[in-house]
Amino acid sequence: MGCRCQQTNQIISGHSGDVFCVKFSLYGSHDHAMDTRRPVVCSSSFDKTIRFWNFKTAKEFRVLDGHTNGVCGIAFSPFNNGRYLCSGSYDDTIRLWDVETSKTLHVFKGHKHTVCNRKNDNTSNRIGVIGGNGYTICSGSYDYTIRLWDVETAKELTVFTGHKNWIRSVKYSPYITDTICSGSEDNSIRLWDIRSKKETNIFKGHTHWVWAVEYSPFVSSDNNNADGTMTNPNIICSGSWDNTIRFWDIRKNKQLYLIKGNDNEDRGICSLKFLALRNEEKRNKNTDNHM
């Protein structure tokens, strides 16, 4: 089984089972022998392995082996250039890996069902990237729970309950400390406070499963960051099998905007990704330079 890169039409083959998730990896991208940078792709599969590939040559150069069932979601740490990787599996566990040594650091056990993301969905993981203060992992499962884990001790810190069906997506907030957002097949989006260990918001409006949640990068003049950029931490976005994308205001606990897909052409929203666009000034400058 393999995966394909649309931009280069490159086919990467080597897995012996279905490929569930594919991500680019920053860690391991430096080829010390050649003193060059190489683009690296990481994939997880039903063959129970996680594999790293040289994007240009399509050659495998690292395998992480330890799960006893198919590996679904993978997420890299936002620090150390993604040296640490967490993975969720049909064996009901989460594993934390050191990519450099290819070793399992911890196995997190507690979920009663699959810790997995939707097949072929490479953006909406139910394994939270190592977040908070850098020492926790959050995970969502088919057992209807979200769990918080201590990275150093592998102990379960908190179990969040409230969803009435499979959890399809969990995300740490990049803006609000100690906040997790989740989407579920109970058609709802929920916010959770890590400190109080309680649900703080529930957003209802979707008429089908919520498979993706994201924190919006929309700018706001009221929220200036230290680096001069502006963000609005109060907007979240959700994608659903009802073929809609919805934007929600955390403060008012209400829907702000809805984007409806074409029911004759689209089947549902499975994943979401915001892309950074150049501002108008930069676009005009680039246009002037080419005149």
Side-chain angles (χ1 to χ4, degrees), residues 219-220 223-231:
V219 299
S220 170
N223 295 279
N224 288 284
N225 296 328
D227 59 2
T229 61
M230 296 178 293
T231 57

Side-chain angles (χ1 to χ4, degrees), residues 158-171:
T158 306
V159 180
F160 297 104
T161 59
H163 280 298
K164 308 302 181 184
N165 209 328
W166 292 0
I167 295 167
R168 287 290 183 178
S169 184
V170 290
K171 299 280 183 178

Side-chain angles (χ1 to χ4, degrees), residues 48-77:
K48 309 175 188 177
T49 69
I50 302 165
R51 299 173 187 249
F52 289 76
W53 315 81
N54 185 311
F55 178 70
K56 290 185 177 180
T57 65
K59 291 183 178 180
E60 173 192 303
F61 65 89
R62 179 178 288 115
V63 179
L64 305 183
D65 190 357
H67 279 294
T68 58
N69 208 329
V71 185
C72 310
I74 51 177
F76 288 96
S77 63

Side-chain angles (χ1 to χ4, degrees), residues 3 41 44 52 60 71 85 90 101-102 118 128 170 180 183 188 203 215 229 237 257 259 268 279 283 289:
C3 53
V41 170
S44 64
F52 289 76
E60 173 192 303
V71 185
L85 172 74
Y90 277 104
T101 63
S102 301
R118 179 181 175 271
V170 290
I180 295 171
S188 74
F203 304 94
Y215 289 87
T229 61
C237 181
Y257 191 70
I259 300 174
N279 60 38
R283 284 198 295 267
N289 289 339

Side-chain angles (χ1 to χ4, degrees), residues 263-281:
D263 290 333
N264 295 323
E265 299 178 359
D266 305 323
R267 192 178 174 186
I269 309 299
C270 303
S271 61
L272 296 169
K273 187 70 174 181
F274 286 99
L275 299 178
L277 298 177
R278 294 172 299 180
N279 60 38
E280 191 66 32
E281 181 180 350

Side-chain angles (χ1 to χ4, degrees), residues 1 4 20 36 135 139 147 228 232 245 270-271 278 285:
M1 305 292 181
R4 178 188 293 271
F20 282 93
T36 58
Y135 295 96
S139 59
R147 297 174 189 245
N232 190 335
I245 298 172
C270 303
S271 61
R278 294 172 299 180
K285 182 178 181 180

Side-chain angles (χ1 to χ4, degrees), residues 168 183-185 187-189 206 208-213 238-240:
R168 287 290 183 178
S184 167
E185 287 198 4
N187 304 352
S188 74
I189 304 102
H206 283 295
H208 215 308
W209 307 329
V210 179
W211 280 19
V213 292
S238 58
S240 167

